Amino acid sequence: MPRVTRSHTVAHHLVQGGLTDLKLSEAAQKKDRPGLYREDGFAVRSVRAPDGTVLTVAGAYGPDWVMTKAQIRHRLEQPYIRYTVTDDAPDLADQELLVRWATAEELAARKRATAARQAPLVALLRRQQAEQDAADSGQASLF
């Protein structure tokens, strides 16, 4: 059973990430007109999962709501925030994402994927450091 995901906490993380909270009512969010708003931003509301757990739906609004939706996903899936964001849950509009706490397995998988993406850069940096150390040790013997 997932942990309760509070909408005000999700909103706080998004505001801290630089997104604008439009503070739309639940009725306004359900109109499904993301392009109506002049300013890009988000709105959150609480929903109940089938098992009774309270989860959060974050919606992207504004002229560039697709980019805002991507920013919401990116911000909330950071390792230090630890949410999982899905857009394939039933009853979600195109601009909405379901937010829940990430499981330990999901966090471990993200960590492995990040390490795999960074492996070539890490190898290059280590090789450059080894070459620099070798050059430094050769120089030190001359002085």
Side-chain angles (χ1 to χ4, degrees):
M1 181 162 118
R3 289 176 34 198
V4 171
T5 307
R6 292 181 175 84
S7 59
H8 68 276
T9 305
V10 172
H12 173 75
H13 286 302
L14 293 173
V15 168
Q16 292 296 321
L19 291 156
T20 303
D21 188 354
L22 299 176
K23 300 184 188 300
L24 301 177
S25 68
E26 188 171 337
Q29 291 178 44
K30 290 184 177 182
K31 285 182 184 175
D32 195 21
R33 305 267 321 254
L36 262 180
Y37 301 91
R38 292 184 177 174
E39 183 179 4
D40 288 321
F42 72 93
V44 294
R45 71 176 191 275
S46 296
V47 296
R48 286 207 179 268
D51 64 1
T53 305
V54 177
L55 301 175
T56 298
V57 172
Y61 299 90
D64 195 8
W65 64 267
V66 174
M67 179 56 97
T68 303
K69 183 178 172 181
Q71 290 172 338
I72 290 170
R73 178 184 299 275
H74 176 73
R75 174 69 179 164
L76 294 177
E77 289 188 341
Q78 292 297 312
Y80 50 89
I81 297 179
R82 304 166 66 129
Y83 285 117
T84 291
V85 179
T86 59
D87 58 2
D88 60 353
D91 300 327
L92 287 182
D94 289 340
Q95 83 278 7
E96 294 180 326
L97 298 162
L98 182 68
V99 181
R100 65 173 176 76
W101 285 102
T103 63
E105 295 83 25
E106 291 168 333
L107 293 172
R110 285 186 208 163
K111 192 172 183 178
R112 286 190 302 272
T114 300
R117 276 194 317 274
Q118 293 175 348
L121 178 60
V122 169
L124 174 67
L125 291 173
R126 286 186 179 149
R127 189 180 76 235
Q128 288 176 343
Q129 185 63 42
E131 290 171 0
Q132 184 65 39
D133 290 346
D136 289 347
S137 65
Q139 290 283 334
S141 64
L142 295 175
F143 295 104

